[in-house]
Amino acid sequence: MIGIPDAGLLSVPLGGMFGGALPASFHFRVVFSATQGATDTSFKEVGGIGSEMELEEVVEGGENRYVHRLPKGVRHPKLLLKRGVADVTSPLVIWCKSVFESGCHVALVPMPVLVYLLDENRLPVRGWFFANAYPVNWKMDPFNATGNEVAIEEIELSYNHMFRII
């Protein structure tokens, strides 16, 4: 029988349950090994941080009512970075240009990428490491003559594996 959670647990403020205020999603930092975090790390949005277990479905022989879902492996979505259009001297732009404009004649140079969620004192409270990341998509958001938004570029990175470091 499933019980109702303790009423005392429900009255605890969410931040207090975890030992402090929950971190805000707008305060983060992205670090590329090529820039060593010094420049070119301001982004409007970072997405695609996650993991999903791939499953293989196996139908039980002779008993058609049962389907077993067995773990097959872990996959990760691409890391999505959005920011205002950067200058051509940006190390990230230079890296993306070398990948997309070389026509696969130049060896791809992957690099580690770190993403940190920061607290109000700019200290990391969560962190993720992306191994051997490289750009696989680089595009502009649509231009709109009736709007006044900043021109945004999107960079999608693929990587070998990801793990949480904090």
Side-chain angles (χ1 to χ4, degrees):
M1 184 162 123
I2 299 175
I4 298 173
D6 179 23
L9 181 63
L10 297 176
S11 65
V12 175
L14 192 56
M17 185 186 307
F18 297 105
L22 295 175
S25 67
F26 63 81
H27 201 187
F28 57 90
R29 187 171 84 182
V30 180
V31 178
F32 294 88
S33 65
T35 63
Q36 290 161 20
T39 60
D40 212 24
T41 59
S42 297
F43 292 92
K44 170 187 178 233
E45 183 178 329
V46 175
I49 299 174
S51 302
E52 181 180 353
M53 180 67 70
E54 289 185 90
L55 301 174
E56 180 179 356
E57 292 190 354
V58 177
V59 178
E60 187 170 325
E63 185 63 60
N64 295 333
R65 296 181 298 164
Y66 301 107
V67 176
H68 301 279
R69 290 177 183 87
L70 305 175
K72 188 174 168 182
V74 177
R75 67 179 182 172
H76 306 283
K78 294 180 193 113
L79 185 62
L80 176 64
L81 307 172
K82 291 184 179 184
R83 69 178 184 175
V85 176
D87 189 74
V88 294
T89 60
S90 147
L92 185 55
V93 169
I94 292 168
W95 183 46
C96 289
K97 281 177 58 83
S98 72
V99 170
F100 290 112
E101 295 178 3
S102 69
C104 294
H105 299 293
V106 177
L108 183 69
V109 180
M111 72 170 77
V113 176
L114 295 148
V115 176
Y116 293 105
L117 185 60
L118 306 174
D119 67 10
E120 65 276 2
N121 298 317
R122 301 185 58 120
L123 298 172
V125 292
R126 298 288 182 274
W128 297 266
F129 176 83
F130 301 87
N132 298 319
Y134 57 93
V136 293
N137 193 356
W138 189 22
K139 67 181 180 180
M140 295 292 302
D141 273 358
F143 300 137
N144 182 352
T146 62
N148 64 353
E149 294 87 18
V150 172
I152 300 294
E153 66 182 345
E154 293 182 22
I155 302 167
E156 275 186 288
L157 302 175
S158 186
Y159 49 91
N160 288 356
H161 64 277
M162 177 225 27
F163 56 89
R164 192 167 141 176
I165 55 177
I166 298 174

